[in-house]
Amino acid sequence: MAKRPKSAKRSKSAKRGASGKKPTSVEIRTFQVGFGDCFLLTFVYGASDRRHILIDFGTTGLPKRLGTPKTHMPLVANEIKKVCDTAGLTAVVATHRHADHINGFGTEGKTGKSGTVIASLKPKLVLQPWTEDPKARTDAKKATVDSSRSRKSFVAGLAAMNDVAANIASIANNPPAWMSSSLAGQLRFLGESGIANKSAVNNLIAMGKRKGATAVWAHHGSKSGLDTLLPGVKIHVLGPPDLTQSEKIRKQRSRDPDQFWHLLSGTAAMNGNPLSTGFAWASNGKKNRVPPAGRWFRDRLEQLNGQQLLEIVRTLDQQMNNTSLILVFEVFGKKLLFPGDAQIENWSYAFEDAPDAARTRALLADVDVYKVGHHGSLNATPKKALWERFRKRNKGLKTLLSTMPGKHGSSRSRTEVPRKTLLTELENDSTLQTTTSLKKKTDLFHLLTLKA
Ligand SMILES: [Zn+2]
């Protein structure tokens, strides 16, 4: 018999799940990780069929009462294990490479080997943005599945950003005499969140390679791999765009420190200027790695003034945020939005430039649960383009915020995270669950339950 075209029949079954199964409730746990993200979504199909999706697990700052990541992250990991019980994890999602989203997946001492606990839960799927595909060519515009042959080097740029961040953090850890302690603190914080987290990255790769597991690197409009694991749930990948879809995530709309922009861009950065990337080109066009922490590079960085260093490290931070996965889970008519730390450039592809932008705008207008982007930073919740479009503000909208004040930005420049004006609107116009209200050491998470 000839294969039937995939028609209406399929989409009907996709809606309900091939088995006709659908969840009767969803539990969302917002874990206390200080400055970082860690969300566990549990889709309940029955008393003995609970499917758990972990979205991010990292921290770059903990309230003092919680001690250090070395002791706190294993507590969180073991609580996740307890919730998952014998079911294990259905999927792990790492929205982007920043430490405050992934260092909990590390298997080394710094986070008390919390990643080992997560790996023992044997996730069936590891979902990451396309930029994390370990097989992506360094000149990739997309993940390997449909790689192109551009010479521009976005993925290599991200790796180079880790090197630059590491250099800046090392300067801040041993600051020159002129550097104020507040500047050193800001540089250290941003630099350290951008450092490559090898142990976490390797664990994510290993979990995705386990027998019976799948790794997916997604971009706007691509499949997440979650649909088959969560019957009756529709998952939309809204971001990040790959570079064939948008060049915008390579560029920031505002505050382009253009003399440093070539840190990240392809050609200029790759012309053997050690300041740019820590890479150099040989004459045959093959790239040779030079030691990223070379003296020359560090010396040059030290000659820059504090503001210039901050500009660099902020730009790197924003660029990485814009590689965030943006996911919408559609379940029993409710829409749950998890955008990682995506900023305006990532968003704007989804709701302005993409061919399906109108559909995305309609989807977003109808959101019931919003994981507040980037720990409450204003640039991740564009006011007009996103926040004011949520129709359910004041009508049942639920918001989830994982943050810690005093770590990022400053109120003087109105860049403090969480931003006061946004926080006020979240409190006034939605039911907000924020990790800052988890005051006791034993309060490990907020629970939000949605019923069909
Ligand atoms: Zn973050």
Side-chain angles (χ1 to χ4, degrees), residues 35-37 56 60 96 98-101 321 340-341 371 374-375:
F35 198 96
D37 264 7
D56 290 340
T60 46
H96 65 298
H98 271 146
D100 60 318
H101 294 254
N321 285 341
D341 282 355
K371 192 297 285 193
H374 194 208
H375 321 287

Side-chain angles (χ1 to χ4, degrees), residues 130-173:
W130 68 271
T131 46
E132 296 308 314
D133 181 353
K135 290 200 192 111
R137 297 157 49 100
T138 48
D139 61 356
K141 283 196 166 202
K142 292 177 171 185
T144 40
V145 279
D146 46 7
S147 76
S148 76
R149 290 181 175 275
S150 158
R151 272 193 237 139
K152 301 228 170 127
S153 177
F154 188 69
V155 171
L158 293 180
M161 282 158 59
N162 290 146
D163 295 343
V164 176
N167 272 290
I168 290 179
S170 96
I171 291 171
N173 275 323

Side-chain angles (χ1 to χ4, degrees), residues 30-39 58-63 65-66 100-101 189 341 371-377 400-408 416-419 422-423 426 432-438 446:
T30 301
F31 279 94
Q32 170 65 282
V33 285
F35 198 96
D37 264 7
C38 178
F39 296 88
T59 182
T60 46
L62 288 172
R65 64 179 181 279
L66 299 179
D100 60 318
H101 294 254
F189 178 74
D341 282 355
K371 192 297 285 193
V372 181
H374 194 208
H375 321 287
S377 136
L400 310 171
L401 175 60
S402 180
T403 194
M404 180 180 166
K407 298 301 287 182
H408 200 302
E416 83 277 13
V417 176
R419 177 82 181 107
L422 172 62
L423 201 54
L426 290 168
L432 172 68
Q433 286 187 342
T434 166
T435 55
T436 54
S437 70
L438 296 166
H446 282 297

Side-chain angles (χ1 to χ4, degrees), residues 57-125:
F57 183 26
T59 182
T60 46
L62 288 172
K64 271 213 178 85
R65 64 179 181 279
L66 299 179
T68 63
K70 195 173 182 168
T71 54
H72 184 71
M73 296 307 258
L75 280 184
V76 176
N78 281 304
E79 190 66 30
I80 291 168
K81 187 177 173 183
K82 205 167 99 189
V83 177
C84 291
D85 198 17
T86 52
L89 276 167
T90 298
V92 160
V93 179
T95 59
H96 65 298
R97 198 193 291 186
H98 271 146
D100 60 318
H101 294 254
I102 65 164
N103 67 6
F105 296 116
T107 53
E108 49 184 24
K110 271 189 248 166
T111 55
K113 303 185 179 171
S114 50
T116 313
V117 179
I118 302 302
S120 78
L121 303 175
K122 299 185 174 156
K124 296 182 180 72
L125 170 75

Side-chain angles (χ1 to χ4, degrees), residues 262-322:
H262 59 260
L263 278 171
L264 313 176
S265 68
T267 36
M270 291 299 157
N271 275 333
N273 172 358
L275 174 62
S276 60
T277 61
F279 290 114
W281 286 108
S283 54
N284 63 2
K286 280 194 179 155
K287 79 176 182 296
N288 293 318
R289 191 118 194 192
V290 297
R295 275 305 299 173
W296 187 93
F297 179 47
R298 207 190 130 101
D299 290 349
R300 284 300 304 270
L301 280 178
E302 281 183 342
Q303 285 164 22
L304 301 173
N305 70 36
Q307 279 315 310
Q308 290 169 315
L309 281 175
L310 259 184
E311 279 299 339
I312 292 178
V313 79
R314 277 193 193 127
T315 305
L316 299 180
D317 193 65
Q318 295 180 6
Q319 180 88 356
M320 193 71 87
N321 285 341
N322 277 331

Side-chain angles (χ1 to χ4, degrees), residues 227-253:
D227 300 73
T228 49
L229 297 169
L230 296 175
V233 185
K234 192 165 169 44
I235 290 94
H236 307 262
V237 181
L238 300 186
D242 65 36
L243 291 180
T244 59
Q245 291 173 324
S246 170
E247 291 281 324
K248 270 190 191 167
I249 59 167
R250 287 155 52 81
K251 297 204 165 130
Q252 306 297 326
R253 275 183 172 174

